[in-house]
Amino acid sequence: MAYKNLQHFIEVLEKAGELVRIHEKVDPHLEITEITDRVSKKYGPALLFENTGYDFPVLINAMGTEKRMAMALGVDDLDDIAKQIESLFNTFTTPKNSFLEKLSLLQQLGEVASWMPKNIKGRGACQEVILKDPDITKFPVLKCWPEDGGPFITLPVIQTKDPNTGQRNVGLYRMQVFDKKLTAMHWHRHKVSARHFNEYKKAGMKMPVAVTLGGDPAYAYSATAPLPDGVDEFLLAGFIRKKRVELVKCITQDMYVPADSDIVIEGYIDPQEELILEGPFGDHTGYYSLADYYPKFHITAITHRKDAVYPATIVGIPPQEDAWIGKATERIFLAPIKMTMVPEIVDMVLPIEGVFHNLCIVKIKKDYPGQALKVMNSLWGAGQMMFTKMMVIVDGDVNIHDNLEVAKYISANTDPGSDFVFTQGPSDVLDHSCSAMAFGGKMGIDATQKFPEERPGASHHTDSDPVNVPGDDIKKIFPEIISINDSLLRSDISVIFISIEKNRKGHINDTAEKLLNEFPELRGIKVLVFLEHTFDISDISDAVWRFSNNFDPKRDHRIIHSSGNNNLSTMVFDGTKKSKEFDGFERDWPNILASDETTIEYVDSIWENLGLGPFIESPSKKYRRQLYKGGAVAEE
């Protein structure tokens, strides 16, 4: 389904009871974030803030549930798009014998051609208003979190082109606003737009850039999609919409943009210019990404629809709206991965707690020994999957969309001494746990049922015996251990979370070894996860989120081997904050995200005027208790 424009999508959401209009005055400076954070963590509605102190309403959380994400892409279920891709692929790869079959193929080719983006003459609705003196500060650009470096455009669809081939790339990167005609352009070194930038730099040319906001929501999604090089994101948008994207030429730059966009920001980047210090920014990991240098984007024109809506999103501690954008990618790109790379894959999940790149669970049809390792290595070599920190491979009848069921399956089918593998490679730039930026450890877990060749001479069993954890006795001997969460043991999941006040070098490994020596009954536990003493480890979901962010697999694991034939080895994971003093960690460690007390109190006071139903307490109250000393950068 193609939406005529963003207003059409808003109408559909409202008719379905999926949108709330907020008439109360709300400031884009921190207040919209605080309200949206409360709503998104309850999987609440899309929000249209109509009174922001600016001329433009703000739409946020529009794709903030799986249902609305599917609505944005015009389908009933996100798996529908994967099925369409699979059907299309089969149509073109299956041999055609009869004339009618070949004729049908021509019809399919014609349909594909109808999805190709097309440049049209004249001006589009996005150019109904042309600002004579472009000023981005006239728009309700959000400052999301207290330590952010300034206001950020958070849902920009950014178009660049290769200066040598003219090939277009469409991406979604945040943009910090510095003044009315200047922003930063935050693209990471692995992105295609960054490669375009380098080509312009070699050629000594200024780089034209076009940024659009709004229009069909398929544009914003397609800008995030992990497409192969050379595949136009607007072709994907056309496939999703089943209607081509019509593009009009910009006013001041030799670029083309979707005609139905709400807002167009035209400009250029001069690669010869000095970079600008951008950030910090409260990011999708739930931590601040820290200040760094990025290109300057100079605005030459701004145009917009007469009835333009400013679309935005916030990211932070999951769940947020971006979790469902990631869910769409998980479902849509499963089919291409199966068909072109790893045919044994049955299903794949990127759990919300893993913030896309920290954790991936893959289910396969296993036919031979070592197949799980083959799949891990294939996926680590596939596009953006190279950033995946932890990859778990399962098989059998396990439902990988049920976290508890998956955890039980992993526990039942692994020996930490042989089924956990460690390597290293490219990491996401936002992974703060790496000792070196964008390069760190990776862990694969083979949780498949094993063939005899994979368990040669095994005399132990894979199921752990029930363990009674003597928590009070442990804390008497180890006063630095603040709390122990052994609740998963009662679900046959052999994992214990331990919060500890780390106070010396080697503290985690020393404590783990002494713990197993003092309490031999714990030697049946397969995994011990250590987290910080300030963290409430009673929340398993949050524990996984914190652990997966703070853990470099190659550096932060230790295997304590069993001393007898009947016990399995124990894997020890250090998910605590790393420091120079105790860990030799040289990089700055970021703080977690939480609203400030003033903003929380103000939103509390206006809640009944927002039309959002029963009061929702601020999630930040919980996380403020876990903040490190300092600002965006945690103090040592």
Side-chain angles (χ1 to χ4, degrees):
M1 171 184 176
Y3 290 99
K4 292 180 288 186
N5 45 49
L6 188 58
Q7 289 71 15
H8 182 200
F9 182 46
I10 289 170
E11 289 170 14
V12 171
L13 289 176
E14 193 163 26
K15 188 175 291 186
E18 291 287 333
L19 179 135
V20 171
R21 293 177 182 266
I22 296 177
H23 308 295
E24 180 78 5
K25 185 172 182 181
V26 178
D27 195 333
H29 182 99
L30 301 179
E31 292 173 10
I32 286 181
T33 292
E34 172 59 19
I35 294 167
T36 306
D37 191 36
R38 299 186 192 202
V39 171
S40 65
K41 284 185 169 48
K42 294 293 185 181
Y43 307 110
L47 305 175
L48 187 64
F49 291 91
E50 297 185 315
N51 186 1
T52 63
Y54 294 79
D55 292 336
F56 304 89
V58 173
L59 177 68
I60 198 166
N61 204 37
M63 297 176 281
T65 63
E66 188 165 358
K67 177 183 177 180
R68 288 203 299 280
M69 189 70 239
M71 291 174 69
L73 302 183
V75 293
D76 295 325
D77 190 289
L78 293 175
D79 285 321
D80 292 346
I81 299 176
K83 291 172 184 174
Q84 293 167 10
I85 293 172
E86 195 164 7
S87 174
L88 196 63
F89 182 87
N90 290 334
T91 297
F92 291 130
T93 57
T94 303
K96 304 294 182 290
N97 298 316
S98 72
F99 175 76
L100 289 177
E101 286 178 326
K102 292 175 182 177
L103 186 61
S104 173
L105 182 60
L106 289 175
Q107 292 172 340
Q108 287 274 26
L109 285 169
E111 186 179 11
V112 171
S114 74
W115 303 331
M116 298 289 289
K118 182 181 179 180
N119 296 344
I120 62 173
K121 293 181 179 180
R123 291 184 176 173
C126 63
Q127 296 164 328
E128 289 175 338
V129 178
I130 301 174
L131 301 185
K132 293 180 180 178
D133 181 20
D135 184 352
I136 192 60
T137 66
K138 298 293 185 182
F139 293 82
V141 183
L142 307 190
K143 180 175 180 180
C144 300
W145 299 101
E147 300 299 331
D148 282 357
F152 283 83
I153 303 171
T154 55
L155 209 58
V157 176
I158 297 169
Q159 289 122 78
T160 63
K161 61 182 178 181
D162 188 303
N164 304 311
T165 66
Q167 194 169 68
R168 174 173 41 232
N169 181 70
V170 184
L172 199 154
Y173 324 109
R174 74 190 192 221
M175 298 167 62
Q176 182 176 345
V177 173
F178 289 93
D179 63 40
K180 67 179 187 177
K181 293 184 181 179
L182 179 66
T183 81
M185 191 62 74
H186 183 99
W187 48 48
H188 294 163
R189 67 181 71 176
H190 305 103
K191 302 300 183 182
V192 176
S193 292
R195 190 167 73 234
H196 289 175
F197 171 83
N198 290 330
E199 291 301 315
Y200 281 96
K201 188 170 186 177
K202 289 177 191 174
M205 299 165 56
K206 290 182 179 179
M207 178 180 184
V209 180
V211 180
T212 62
L213 295 160
D216 192 313
Y219 306 155
Y221 170 72
S222 297
T224 72
L227 293 174
D229 269 6
V231 178
D232 192 332
E233 287 79 6
F234 286 145
L235 173 58
L236 174 62
F239 168 74
I240 290 170
R241 306 169 79 230
K242 300 298 180 283
K243 182 180 179 181
R244 71 168 83 247
V245 180
E246 293 187 338
L247 305 163
V248 293
K249 192 172 184 180
C250 289
I251 304 297
T252 61
Q253 300 294 330
D254 186 20
M255 300 289 291
Y256 284 80
V257 293
D260 61 341
S261 302
D262 280 63
I263 301 163
V264 180
I265 309 167
E266 304 176 15
Y268 69 89
I269 291 171
D270 184 351
Q272 310 306 321
E273 254 188 323
E274 287 188 2
L275 303 178
I276 193 167
L277 186 64
E278 184 258 20
F281 176 73
D283 229 312
H284 75 265
T285 58
Y287 289 74
Y288 286 98
S289 57
L290 301 181
D292 205 347
Y293 288 91
Y294 288 92
K296 296 176 181 176
F297 173 64
H298 298 274
I299 297 171
T300 55
I302 298 177
T303 68
H304 64 82
R305 297 173 58 94
K306 290 178 180 176
D307 59 350
V309 172
Y310 180 87
T313 190
I314 62 164
V315 290
I317 296 171
Q320 300 281 12
E321 181 176 12
D322 63 318
W324 305 108
I325 297 173
K327 177 60 68 175
T329 294
E330 169 199 299
R331 305 322 302 160
I332 292 171
F333 285 87
L334 176 62
I337 289 173
K338 287 169 61 177
M339 291 184 295
T340 62
M341 291 177 43
V342 194
E344 57 266 67
I345 288 182
V346 176
D347 204 353
M348 180 173 68
V349 169
L350 303 172
I352 289 174
E353 296 82 359
V355 296
F356 310 128
H357 48 79
N358 283 341
L359 178 61
C360 178
I361 299 166
V362 181
K363 182 178 179 179
I364 66 170
K365 182 180 180 298
K366 185 174 179 180
D367 295 313
Y368 53 83
Q371 194 170 5
L373 298 175
K374 176 257 186 186
V375 170
M376 286 177 205
N377 288 307
S378 295
L379 291 176
W380 273 324
Q384 292 188 37
M385 293 296 290
M386 69 178 173
F387 299 130
T388 305
K389 184 188 289 191
M390 295 181 283
M391 193 174 299
V392 180
I393 313 296
V394 300
D395 63 350
D397 297 327
V398 61
N399 174 14
I400 64 170
H401 300 275
D402 183 322
N403 291 340
L404 188 64
E405 190 173 332
V406 170
K408 290 173 71 171
Y409 198 84
I410 295 170
S411 184
N413 288 295
T414 56
D415 176 352
S418 58
D419 296 328
F420 290 56
V421 297
F422 298 88
T423 184
Q424 58 186 3
S427 297
D428 193 281
V429 171
L430 300 182
D431 186 350
H432 61 260
S433 71
C434 303
S435 296
M437 185 175 181
F439 180 75
K442 300 181 183 298
M443 177 175 71
I445 301 177
D446 178 1
T448 60
Q449 299 177 54
K450 303 303 185 291
F451 285 90
E453 298 91 334
E454 296 172 301
R455 288 276 190 259
S459 59
H460 55 256
H461 53 76
T462 56
D463 291 319
S464 298
D465 294 324
V467 176
N468 180 29
V469 178
D472 291 339
D473 293 341
I474 289 173
K475 286 190 276 188
K476 285 178 183 176
I477 297 176
F478 299 95
E480 66 269 40
I481 290 179
I482 307 304
S483 58
I484 300 170
N485 185 344
D486 61 355
S487 61
L488 291 178
L489 299 181
R490 293 186 283 280
S491 297
D492 297 322
I493 300 167
S494 191
V495 177
I496 294 178
F497 291 95
I498 300 171
S499 66
I500 184 170
E501 188 167 6
K502 188 166 66 174
N503 58 34
R504 62 182 183 275
K505 291 181 179 179
H507 193 173
I508 303 301
N509 288 337
D510 290 347
T511 301
E513 188 164 355
K514 291 175 182 176
L515 191 62
L516 295 180
N517 287 335
E518 290 284 346
F519 299 93
E521 61 268 38
L522 298 184
R523 285 196 170 271
I525 303 299
K526 294 186 179 182
V527 177
L528 300 179
V529 180
F530 285 85
L531 295 166
E532 296 148 24
H533 67 286
T534 56
F535 177 68
D536 177 8
I537 60 172
S538 66
D539 188 324
I540 297 295
S541 180
D542 266 8
V544 173
W545 161 65
R546 287 291 284 266
F547 159 67
S548 64
N549 271 298
N550 291 351
F551 167 68
D552 181 290
K554 191 164 185 179
R555 183 195 63 218
D556 296 332
H557 84 277
R558 182 183 177 186
I559 301 172
I560 301 179
H561 293 286
S562 59
S563 57
N565 292 330
N566 294 325
N567 288 328
L568 297 170
S569 302
T570 298
M571 182 67 70
V572 178
F573 292 140
D574 179 359
T576 63
K577 171 183 177 291
K578 306 305 181 300
S579 67
K580 183 175 182 179
E581 181 181 5
F582 299 145
D583 308 282
F585 191 80
E586 298 289 342
R587 298 176 64 200
D588 287 333
W589 194 269
N591 224 325
I592 63 172
L593 307 183
S595 293
D596 60 57
E597 291 180 353
T598 301
T599 303
I600 293 170
E601 291 171 1
Y602 178 71
V603 171
D604 284 352
S605 72
I606 66 169
W607 186 267
E608 63 181 18
N609 302 328
L610 298 176
L612 291 171
F615 179 77
I616 302 173
E617 186 171 66
S618 173
S620 289
K621 288 185 177 180
K622 170 184 177 182
Y623 296 111
R624 284 194 61 79
R625 295 192 291 269
Q626 301 174 23
L627 287 172
Y628 305 119
K629 291 181 180 179
V633 178
E635 293 179 3
E636 282 285 328

